[in-house]
Amino acid sequence: MKSQKLVSLLLALVMVLSLAPLSAIAEAGRPTLTVFDFTEELNQELINNAPTIQYLEDRLNVNLEIEVISGMSKEEKIATMIASGDYADIMFRVDERMIEAGALIPLDDLLESDGQDILNAWGTSLNKLRYPADSKVYWIGSPKNRPEELTDPSACLLVQYDVLEKLGWPEIKTLDDVHQALKDYLAMVPDLNGTSFIPWGIWADSWGYNQTVNNPALWVNGFTDDSDAYIDQQTFDVTYFNTTDYFKTYLKYLNTLYNEGLLSENAFITKYDEFNSQVASGRVLATIYNANLMSEPEAALRAAGMPERCYARFPVVLDESIQDRSNVYCESYDNGVGISVNCKEPELAMKVLNYIASNEGNVLLNWGIEGVHYDVIDGKRVWKDEVKNQYASDPTYRYREGIACLNWWPLYYGAMKLDDGDYATPVNKEAFYQTADDETKKALDAYHVTCWGDLFDTTGTPTPYGYAWTLVIESGSDADLANTKANTLRHTEVPNIVMSKTDEDFEANFTSFVDKLYNDCKINLWEDAMHDAIVERMAIWGQD
C-alpha cells in the first residue's frame, strides 16, 4: 500500500514537472539581483516581462527583479532610500548623493576583473566618471565617446506639423519666426475641435524649470547646456545664468507671449505628467524642450490618430547673427548605474553591467532579438515593419518588448557604430527616414532633409569641462545651500517677471530678482565653488 502511494506521488510529481515551463524550472535555481531605476516613467516597469530582459537573464543565468519609482517623486525616493539604507543590488540613474551617503561601492577593482567590455567601451573617457573626492569610479553611464551622427536632436524648438503645413512650410530660424508663425496659425485655426490651444508649452514645476525655461534661454543665445551657469571660456569664472542679460532677454520673449495670450498663466505650476497629457491631447503648438522626452506623448498622438500634431525639430536663436550650439556635444556625465553596498554578489552584478555595455548587449537592448524584432539585410540590422509601426504608435510597446527604451543604462544611445560597423541603435540617419510615419516624411521632404539632425550645426568647439550641470558641489556646503535657495527663489520670482503687465514692471521685477539672488541667497558662493569645481575637473581629466 505504501509503495503504491509512493508510486502515485512520483507519477504526480513527474506530471507537474512535465507541465511546468522549462524556464520556470531553470529560473528557480538562479541567483536573483534586485534592480531599481530612479525613473518616474511608470511604463518602464513593464520591462520585467520583456523578451529582451528574459533573453539577458537566460544568457547570464540570473533573475532580475526591476522596480521603478511609484507614488512619490525621484527626490522623495532618493531621500527615503538613503534614510532607510534599503538599497537594491543594482541602481540606475544614481548620482553623487548616493556616493556621499555611502550607498555605492567603488567599481575600479570589479572593472578590472569582470568589466572588460565596459573598459573597452569607455577607454580614456573612464576618467570622466571619477568622483573628485577620491578619484574612484562609482557608476557607469551611457558612453558618448564615439563619433555620432546627429539624427534626432535633443535640445530644439518643436513645432507641430499642422502649424507648418497650414502656413506653407515657413522658414523657422529665430524666435521672431516662430512667434509670427503661431499668430498666423491661430488666425486660421483658432481651436482644436472647440478646445483652446496651448500655443507655447512650458512645464516649470520642479526640474521642468530647467527643461523649459532656463535651458531654452541658453540655447537661443548660442550656448551649450551649462544649466545654471554662464561661464567665461577663457577664465572659467562663473555667473549664475539667471542674473544675466542673456536670460533676461529670453524672459522678455516669454513676457511678450504671455501678454499676447500665447503663454498660459498656469505654465509655471504645470507638472511633468500634466505637460505630457497636454502634448498628447494635441493642444501644444510649440515649445523649446528636450525632444528625447517627447517620444511617449508623440506615440500617444499617433495612436490617437493625430500624427499631424507631432513635431518638427528646429535649431532656433534670438537673431541670425547667433550661431546655434544647442547640440554641440560636450562629453560629461552626472549619473549612471552603480552597485550598492547591500549587494551580496557584486561580481555577478558587474557581469550583468558588463554584458549590457558589450556589443551583444547593445544590439539586444536597442534592436531586440534577431528574427523577432529585426532582421539582418545586406549586412545591416533592420527593424521588422510591425516593430517600427508599434514602436511609433504605442507608448508602452518599447517597454513591453524592452527595446530602445533604456537610454540611461550603460548602452550607446544615438547614431554611433559598434565594432561590426553597423549602428548601435535604430536611431540613425539611414533608418530614420525609412521608419518615419507619413506626416513626418512629408515635413522632412518640405525642409529637404532626411532627418531633423540635418538642420543642426554640431561643429562648434566642446567645452573642456563638459557640461557644468554635471559638476559636483559638496552637499550641505554654503555654496550648495546658496544654490538651493536660488532654485527656490526663481520658482516664485520668474513667473512674476514673465507675467509683468508693463515694461516698467518687467524691469523692476527682474532687478529685484537679481538683488535677492546675491543679497538673500548669496549665490556668489555658488559661483566661486563652481569655478573651483571646473578647475578641479579639468585637472582630473588632464585638460588643465
Side-chain angles (χ1 to χ4, degrees):
M1 189 70 174
K2 288 182 179 179
S3 62
Q4 288 180 335
K5 287 183 177 180
L6 179 61
V7 169
S8 297
L9 286 170
L10 289 172
L11 287 172
L13 179 61
V14 168
M15 289 181 67
V16 169
L17 291 174
S18 66
L19 292 172
L22 289 176
S23 59
I25 300 171
E27 289 171 6
R30 291 174 177 172
T32 296
L33 292 173
T34 56
V35 179
F36 194 89
D37 193 335
F38 285 96
T39 176
E40 297 175 64
E41 298 163 1
L42 293 178
N43 283 335
Q44 191 154 313
E45 197 165 30
L46 297 172
I47 65 172
N48 266 305
N49 298 315
T52 55
I53 297 300
Q54 293 175 0
Y55 184 100
L56 183 155
E57 291 174 322
D58 291 341
R59 182 78 168 78
L60 301 180
N61 192 36
V62 64
N63 293 327
L64 300 179
E65 294 181 356
I66 304 171
E67 291 185 57
V68 300
I69 298 170
S70 178
M72 63 180 71
S73 69
K74 177 180 178 180
E75 299 304 312
E76 290 169 333
K77 184 62 179 180
I78 290 173
T80 300
M81 195 174 281
I82 289 175
S84 67
D86 185 16
Y87 305 118
D89 295 323
I90 297 173
M91 297 191 291
F92 287 91
R93 307 193 211 200
V94 293
D95 56 28
E96 73 275 0
R97 287 171 290 183
M98 285 294 183
I99 303 174
E100 293 168 356
L104 305 177
I105 63 172
L107 302 179
D108 304 71
D109 291 342
L110 288 170
L111 286 168
E112 290 297 328
S113 60
D114 297 294
Q116 193 56 53
D117 286 303
I118 293 175
L119 294 177
N120 290 342
W122 283 86
T124 57
S125 287
L126 197 69
N127 284 337
K128 297 182 179 180
L129 301 181
R130 298 195 180 279
Y131 187 57
D134 59 11
S135 293
K136 293 184 182 298
V137 175
Y138 287 89
W139 45 258
I140 305 295
S142 172
K144 286 286 188 180
N145 56 355
R146 292 191 179 198
E148 178 179 7
E149 301 167 354
L150 183 63
T151 301
D152 198 13
S154 54
C156 62
L157 167 70
L158 297 117
V159 184
Q160 279 191 1
Y161 298 149
D162 195 64
V163 173
L164 299 167
E165 184 172 15
K166 291 285 195 302
L167 299 178
W169 308 105
E171 184 176 66
I172 303 289
K173 291 186 176 181
T174 68
L175 290 179
D176 286 343
D177 293 337
V178 67
H179 184 196
Q180 189 62 49
L182 290 174
K183 291 192 292 185
D184 291 346
Y185 178 78
L186 289 168
M188 299 169 61
V189 187
D191 57 54
L192 180 62
N193 301 322
T195 302
S196 60
F197 283 114
I198 300 172
W200 191 266
I202 282 180
W203 72 276
D205 178 78
S206 67
W207 56 282
Y209 178 91
N210 276 73
Q211 293 289 341
T212 61
V213 180
N214 186 87
N215 294 358
L218 285 162
W219 301 329
V220 300
N221 278 289
F223 302 130
T224 55
D225 183 2
D226 276 330
S227 189
D228 299 340
Y230 169 71
I231 301 168
D232 185 306
Q233 296 300 310
Q234 302 300 316
T235 65
F236 304 110
D237 288 337
V238 175
T239 303
Y240 192 66
F241 181 64
N242 282 195
T243 69
T244 66
D245 286 342
Y246 298 112
F247 185 66
K248 179 182 177 182
T249 301
Y250 185 68
L251 291 191
K252 188 58 184 171
Y253 171 73
L254 295 182
N255 174 244
T256 300
L257 295 183
Y258 174 76
N259 285 320
E260 292 181 358
L262 302 177
L263 176 66
S264 168
E265 62 184 8
N266 295 320
F268 287 89
I269 57 173
T270 299
K271 299 182 184 298
Y272 180 53
D273 57 346
E274 293 171 331
F275 181 73
N276 281 347
S277 295
Q278 291 171 354
V279 173
S281 73
R283 296 172 61 209
V284 178
L285 298 181
T287 184
I288 301 178
Y289 194 37
N290 179 351
N292 292 336
L293 299 174
M294 294 289 270
S295 57
E296 287 191 45
E298 283 193 297
L301 284 168
R302 293 185 178 99
M306 294 189 288
E308 76 282 1
R309 297 290 169 192
C310 292
Y311 298 86
R313 277 81 162 145
F314 296 102
V316 65
V317 288
L318 281 168
D319 63 67
E320 292 192 48
S321 68
I322 297 172
Q323 180 184 1
D324 169 61
R325 298 181 72 241
S326 59
N327 283 266
V328 174
Y329 189 76
C330 305
E331 189 187 359
S332 59
Y333 311 91
D334 76 326
N335 70 75
V337 55
I339 300 173
S340 85
V341 292
N342 293 352
C343 183
K344 304 299 183 186
E345 298 188 70
E347 293 82 7
L348 177 60
M350 176 53 72
K351 288 176 181 176
V352 170
L353 301 186
N354 189 63
Y355 177 78
I356 292 171
S358 69
N359 285 350
E360 181 181 327
N362 269 271
V363 172
L364 174 67
L365 296 175
N366 281 318
W367 288 92
I369 299 168
E370 185 175 357
V372 177
H373 300 103
Y374 74 91
D375 295 312
V376 177
I377 300 174
D378 296 329
K380 294 185 180 295
R381 290 179 282 273
V382 179
W383 260 353
K384 291 178 176 292
D385 287 342
E386 59 269 25
V387 173
K388 297 176 196 173
N389 295 334
Q390 290 188 74
Y391 187 89
S393 62
D394 182 349
T396 67
Y397 177 76
R398 65 198 65 193
Y399 298 106
R400 287 188 283 109
E401 296 300 308
I403 54 173
C405 64
L406 301 171
N407 306 344
W408 299 95
W409 290 32
L411 298 159
Y412 285 112
Y413 178 72
M416 296 185 226
K417 291 188 176 181
L418 296 175
D419 295 341
D420 63 3
D422 198 3
Y423 289 99
T425 80
V427 182
N428 62 75
K429 287 192 174 185
E430 292 179 13
F432 189 89
Y433 188 86
Q434 296 171 354
T435 60
D437 63 272
D438 291 342
E439 289 292 330
T440 300
K441 286 180 178 177
K442 185 196 303 182
L444 291 168
D445 290 344
Y447 289 99
H448 310 291
V449 293
T450 57
C451 66
W452 296 119
D454 288 342
L455 295 175
F456 289 74
D457 181 3
T458 60
T459 61
T461 303
T463 63
Y465 50 80
Y467 292 124
W469 52 266
T470 64
L471 291 163
V472 177
I473 300 297
E474 182 183 355
S475 180
S477 64
D478 289 343
D480 183 48
L481 179 60
N483 189 47
T484 300
K485 288 180 178 179
N487 287 345
T488 300
L489 179 71
R490 65 190 190 177
H491 278 285
T492 58
E493 296 293 317
V494 170
N496 291 335
I497 298 168
V498 170
M499 290 185 277
S500 298
K501 294 297 184 183
T502 67
D503 290 344
E504 291 76 17
D505 288 344
F506 179 89
E507 291 293 334
N509 288 336
F510 186 80
T511 299
S512 174
F513 172 52
V514 174
D515 288 345
K516 289 176 182 178
L517 285 169
Y518 284 106
N519 296 325
D520 298 345
C521 301
K522 310 297 183 188
I523 197 62
N524 57 293
L525 298 176
W526 176 86
E527 292 173 339
D528 293 341
M530 285 289 288
H531 168 79
D532 293 343
I534 290 171
V535 173
E536 180 180 47
R537 168 173 283 185
M538 291 194 298
I540 293 173
W541 289 7
Q543 297 186 30
D544 53 335

